[in-house]
Amino acid sequence: MLRSHTCGELRISDIGKSVKLCGWVQKSRDLGALTFVDLRDRYGITQLFFNQEDNPELCEKARKLGREFVVAAIGKVRERSSKNANRATGDIEIEVTELSILNESKVPPFTIDDDTDGGDELRMKYRYLDIRRMPVMNNLIFRSKLAIETRKFLSSLNFVEVETPVLIKSTPEGARDFVVPSRMNAGQFYALPQSPQTFKQLLMVSGLDRYFQIVKCFRDEDLRADRQPEFTQIDCEMSFITQEDILQTFEALTKYLFKTLKGIDLPTFPRMTYDEAMLKYGSDKPDLRFSMEFVELNDLVKGKGFSVFDEAKLIVGINAEGQAAKYSNKDLKDLTEWMKRPQIGAKGLVYVKYEEDGSIKSTVGKFYSDEDIKIWLERFSAKPGDILFILSGETDATRKQLSELRLEMGNRMGLRQPHDFKPLWVMDFPLLEWDEDTQRFYAMHHPFTSPKKEDINRMLDGDHETMKALRADAYDLVLNGVEIGGGSIRIHDRTLQEKNFKLLGFTEEEAEAQFGFLMGAFEFGAPPHGGIAFGFDRLCAVMNGQNTIRDFIAFPKNNQGRDVMIDAPSPIDKAQLKELYLEIKTE
Ligand code: ASP
C-alpha cells in the first residue's frame, strides 16, 4: 500500500504516529517560513506541514505543488496550533519528512470545491473532475449504499436477483424504444428494454416466486430534470400475493431504507384513491408536506352573470393562508401572468383577498356581493389575512393548473421542506387513459395490469364513459410529490389478457405478434402475481431532498440526450453502417 491512512482518518489520539498519506492537492499556502498543503481524498482533507528552517529543500518542493497534483507524503502526526473545528481532522497535521509527486495535473477547468465555479456543461464535460467534489462523490456513495441495503432487505425476504436481457423486442406500447440494428439479421432490430416487465412475469410462470433486479431501463423520451434516457429501477415481482401483500412489503422496504440510511422512522403510509387525489390535489402524485386542499365552488358561483364561471365545467380554488398582505396588485398581476404561461396555460386567475380588517377585495366584485363571497370564504375556512385563488374551465385541465399553483404557493410559503418526508400510496388507478391526439385509449399503467375484479365484466361494453370508469389494481408510491414507484396486480389468464388487448385497440394478430410469447406462457400454469418498480435514481434524489436525478448518476446525459464527455451519440463509419444494412444514401 502506498498509504497507511486515508485523509479523513487521523485524530488527536493519533499524535506521534508515523503515517503515509496519498491524495490530491486541494490547496497550498506559502507563508514564507512555513508551507501548508491541504491533501484531499474521498474520505476527507488532512493538512500537511512543511518548515523552511528544518527542511528547505522539501519546503521548496511543497511550494511548487499545483492544484490537483497527486502526491504521497510520509511524516508524523502532530497537534495543530490553530485548530479547524469544521474539519474532522482539524485538530492535527502531518509534519512531512518525505514527499513524492505521483502525478502532476493541469489546472482544472473549475475549482474542485463543494461550491464550484464551474457551469453545468463544463462540469459534465469533465465529469471525472466533478465527481472529485464531495457533494457529487457523496451522492454516488449514498447510491451504492442504497443498492446494497435494498439487496439485503429483499434477499432476507427470499427475493432472487435475476438478470434479464438488454437486447429485446420493440413494442409500440409505452414510451419510444431505443433500437439496435442486428448485423446477423438484415433489416431487423432489437430494442432496449423500457423495463423488464414481461420477463419478470415469465419468471413468475417459471416458479421463481419472488424476483428483483436493480436494472437499467431505456426510454427515448424528451428529457426533464427528473428524466434520463437510461435510468435505474428496483424492479420486483411476487407470486401468490394480493395487492395488500405488495403494499406491505414495499412499504417495509421504504421504511427500512429510510431508517438505515437516514435514521428516519417513517409512519404508516396513508392511502388515497386516484379519484380522491385528483379531487383534493389535482394530481396523482400529491405533495402531502402541506395541506392547501382544493375546494370546489360550482354550486355557489353559477348564475350570477359571470360568464367565465357560468360556462366552466369546474370552478375550484385553494386558500393561501396568511398571504393576503404579501400580495400587492403587482404581485397578483405577475402571478396571473405566471399562470398564463404556455407551460401552465390558465386563461386567468381569480383571487379573493380577505383583508386583516375583514374587508374583501376581489377580481369578481362586479358579479358577486360581499355576502356571496363570505359564503365562499366559509367553505374554504378562510380567516382574515388569507387569500383565495380560483380557477375555472374544463375539469382535468383546471385541476392540473391549480395543482401547479398549489405547488408554487407551497414553495413560496416554505411549506415544501426538502428533508420533511411525506409518503403515500395512490391506489385504484383508471385502467385506461384517453389520448386526444390519437383518439384512442392507452393502458394507464401497462397492458398487463389487471382490471379490478368487479370491472372485468364491464370491460368490453365499449361506451366511452364506461371505459373511462374502469379501475385497475394499480398503485403508485408517492413521496413529496414525486412518483417513487408504481406497479400492479397482473393479468395471468390468457383470455383476460386477450380481452385487454382488444380493449386497447389491438387486432388479434397484432396482439399475437407482439405478446404471443407471454399469452402462450399463461397457458402453462401462470400463478397469480403482481409487482412494482421503484425509480432508483429518483429515490436517491428525493431521500436527499433534491430533485435532479442527474446528480445521482455517475455519467449522466444532458438535456439533449448527449454525453458531452465521451461525445455520444456520434456518427459511425460507412463500413459499419453497411454491415448493419443501414447505408444512408446521399445523392
Ligand atoms: N414495469 C413497470 C414500470 O416500469 C412497473 C411494474 O408494473 O412493476 O413502470
Side-chain angles (χ1 to χ4, degrees):
M1 290 274 200
L2 294 180
R3 58 184 173 183
S4 62
H5 294 79
T6 70
C7 296
E9 203 177 342
L10 295 166
R11 299 285 183 275
I12 202 105
S13 55
D14 295 305
I15 285 174
K17 277 189 191 158
S18 294
V19 296
K20 284 198 266 178
L21 298 186
C22 292
W24 287 263
V25 173
Q26 174 85 16
K27 196 158 69 181
S28 149
R29 287 183 310 280
D30 175 6
L31 305 183
L34 307 173
T35 294
F36 295 97
V37 172
D38 280 349
L39 193 66
R40 184 198 70 241
D41 67 11
R42 185 189 126 184
Y43 307 93
I45 293 177
T46 299
Q47 177 164 291
L48 307 180
F49 166 81
F50 301 85
N51 189 339
Q52 173 74 24
E53 214 177 281
D54 296 349
N55 197 336
E57 229 171 89
L58 197 63
C59 206
E60 184 63 15
K61 197 169 174 186
R63 236 178 254 140
K64 288 198 180 131
L65 292 175
R67 268 162 54 201
E68 300 307 310
F69 275 37
V70 189
V71 303
I74 297 181
K76 233 188 196 108
V77 185
R78 66 174 217 177
E79 186 164 3
R80 261 166 85 157
S81 53
S82 70
K83 301 201 162 86
N84 180 350
N86 297 324
R87 202 177 269 175
T89 63
D91 287 348
I92 58 100
E93 64 194 357
I94 313 297
E95 190 170 12
V96 178
T97 49
E98 264 180 65
L99 177 72
S100 34
I101 295 172
L102 303 177
N103 212 342
E104 298 192 349
S105 170
K106 292 207 280 190
V107 176
F110 48 84
T111 56
I112 311 295
D113 265 319
D114 290 4
D115 290 314
T116 178
D117 56 0
D120 264 1
E121 280 291 300
L122 196 63
R123 288 191 291 118
M124 294 273 266
K125 185 161 162 44
Y126 296 93
R127 184 65 168 174
Y128 48 89
L129 295 180
D130 200 25
I131 295 174
R132 275 190 200 164
R133 300 191 309 114
M134 278 309 162
V136 188
M137 176 82 73
N138 286 335
N139 285 352
L140 297 183
I141 293 169
F142 179 88
R143 184 184 173 104
S144 162
K145 286 188 185 150
L146 193 67
I148 289 168
E149 293 302 335
T150 301
R151 288 196 165 94
K152 263 201 220 162
F153 181 88
L154 291 176
S155 38
S156 80
L157 293 181
N158 271 334
F159 281 81
V160 180
E161 187 164 17
V162 181
E163 288 169 89
T164 51
V166 171
L167 295 176
I168 66 166
K169 183 184 168 78
S170 182
T171 56
E173 279 302 292
R176 210 174 284 116
D177 282 327
F178 280 102
V179 294
V180 180
S182 165
R183 180 184 57 81
M184 289 192 283
N185 302 275
Q188 298 194 350
F189 296 81
Y190 300 102
L192 304 182
Q194 296 184 24
S195 87
Q197 184 60 36
T198 51
F199 291 97
K200 67 174 173 174
Q201 291 191 239
L202 292 170
L203 288 171
M204 294 303 106
V205 180
S206 307
L208 210 79
D209 199 65
R210 291 178 169 205
Y211 143 95
F212 85 102
Q213 185 179 191
I214 298 182
V215 62
K216 269 288 170 74
C217 302
F218 306 85
R219 296 181 191 173
D220 190 2
E221 292 175 308
D222 295 335
L223 305 180
R224 297 192 309 236
D226 66 343
R227 278 207 193 142
Q228 282 277 308
E230 50 177 304
F231 60 96
T232 304
Q233 286 188 342
I234 308 171
D235 190 43
C236 308
E237 198 75 4
M238 302 169 87
S239 290
F240 305 117
I241 40 79
T242 61
Q243 171 170 291
E244 185 58 33
D245 298 313
I246 303 229
L247 301 187
Q248 300 264 352
T249 307
F250 292 96
E251 184 164 327
L253 167 67
T254 312
K255 283 182 177 167
Y256 172 81
L257 295 174
F258 267 90
K259 181 73 189 166
T260 40
L261 289 161
K262 310 276 315 174
I264 293 174
D265 285 300
L266 292 178
T268 302
F269 299 1
R271 297 179 184 186
M272 196 180 288
T273 64
Y274 170 89
D275 287 342
E276 189 185 349
M278 296 309 288
L279 206 73
K280 287 188 175 165
Y281 305 101
S283 163
D284 60 1
K285 39 178 190 291
D287 186 342
L288 293 195
R289 284 174 294 182
F290 64 112
S291 156
M292 213 185 280
E293 284 180 17
F294 287 15
V295 172
E296 298 192 358
L297 296 172
N298 285 29
D299 57 320
L300 295 183
V301 302
K302 296 222 178 210
K304 304 269 176 165
F306 184 43
S307 62
V308 174
F309 281 178
D310 284 344
E311 284 157 24
K313 280 258 160 44
L314 178 71
I315 302 104
V316 60
I318 50 174
N319 178 11
E321 289 178 22
Q323 299 301 296
K326 296 208 174 99
Y327 282 80
S328 67
N329 286 347
K330 158 111 182 28
D331 296 332
L332 289 162
K333 224 170 128 202
D334 290 348
L335 188 61
T336 308
E337 287 314 310
W338 186 86
M339 288 295 292
K340 284 179 165 174
R341 290 171 314 144
Q343 295 95 309
I344 299 191
K347 293 219 175 63
L349 178 65
V350 169
Y351 69 82
V352 174
K353 249 184 175 184
Y354 195 6
E355 304 281 16
E356 285 293 353
D357 63 7
S359 65
I360 292 168
K361 241 192 237 133
S362 147
T363 29
V364 289
K366 256 209 311 216
F367 304 99
Y368 302 94
S369 68
D370 279 5
E371 297 321 305
D372 291 332
I373 290 182
K374 284 227 165 90
I375 302 174
W376 308 359
L377 289 168
E378 258 168 47
R379 183 170 288 182
F380 280 92
S381 307
K383 298 176 297 304
D386 292 353
I387 183 164
L388 309 185
F389 293 111
I390 300 168
L391 292 178
S392 61
E394 287 298 323
T395 305
D396 293 350
T398 305
R399 283 189 178 147
K400 215 163 153 214
Q401 292 158 4
L402 191 62
S403 165
E404 295 287 346
L405 181 60
R406 175 181 175 268
L407 294 176
E408 174 67 14
M409 292 313 294
N411 283 338
R412 293 184 182 193
M413 291 163 70
L415 302 173
R416 304 178 77 196
Q417 291 303 319
H419 296 286
D420 175 19
F421 296 102
K422 288 283 158 22
L424 79 148
W425 290 106
V426 178
M427 309 167 50
D428 301 350
F429 272 82
L431 184 68
L432 305 169
E433 187 174 33
W434 178 254
D435 182 61
E436 275 300 329
D437 293 342
T438 50
Q439 290 287 303
R440 57 160 278 204
F441 279 108
Y442 285 88
M444 187 136 187
H445 187 49
H446 52 56
F448 317 108
T449 296
S450 176
K452 285 200 166 291
K453 256 206 192 87
E454 58 270 26
D455 282 354
I456 290 178
N457 290 335
R458 300 194 292 153
M459 268 173 82
L460 288 179
D461 283 1
D463 120 18
H464 191 92
E465 287 312 307
T466 313
M467 290 186 42
K468 261 176 97 171
L470 296 173
R471 286 295 177 267
D473 280 327
Y475 34 80
D476 275 358
L477 177 58
V478 176
L479 183 56
N480 293 2
V482 178
E483 181 199 326
I484 285 299
S488 59
I489 298 297
R490 326 296 185 191
I491 296 169
H492 64 282
D493 166 82
R494 173 163 193 134
T495 317
L496 184 57
Q497 186 65 69
E498 278 174 348
K499 214 166 154 184
N500 207 34
F501 281 131
K502 195 160 168 202
L503 197 64
L504 294 169
F506 285 60
T507 63
E508 248 172 68
E509 294 71 33
E510 283 166 347
E512 186 58 37
Q514 284 165 33
F515 297 109
F517 63 95
L518 184 67
M519 292 192 289
F522 287 171
E523 293 178 286
F524 289 99
H529 61 284
I532 191 167
F534 282 66
F536 185 66
D537 317 279
R538 274 191 200 167
L539 185 61
C540 285
V542 177
M543 283 182 83
N544 286 287
Q546 297 182 31
N547 44 27
T548 313
I549 65 170
R550 199 192 282 174
D551 297 340
F552 290 83
I553 295 175
F555 299 105
K557 310 267 185 291
N558 73 5
N559 280 343
Q560 282 75 48
R562 299 199 67 83
D563 183 325
V564 293
M565 182 183 66
I566 59 172
D567 194 21
S570 58
I572 55 176
D573 68 34
K574 274 211 174 108
Q576 237 177 327
L577 281 171
K578 193 169 170 201
E579 209 170 42
L580 296 168
Y581 311 94
L582 290 175
E583 278 170 288
I584 296 168
K585 294 211 169 56
T586 44
E587 297 299 302

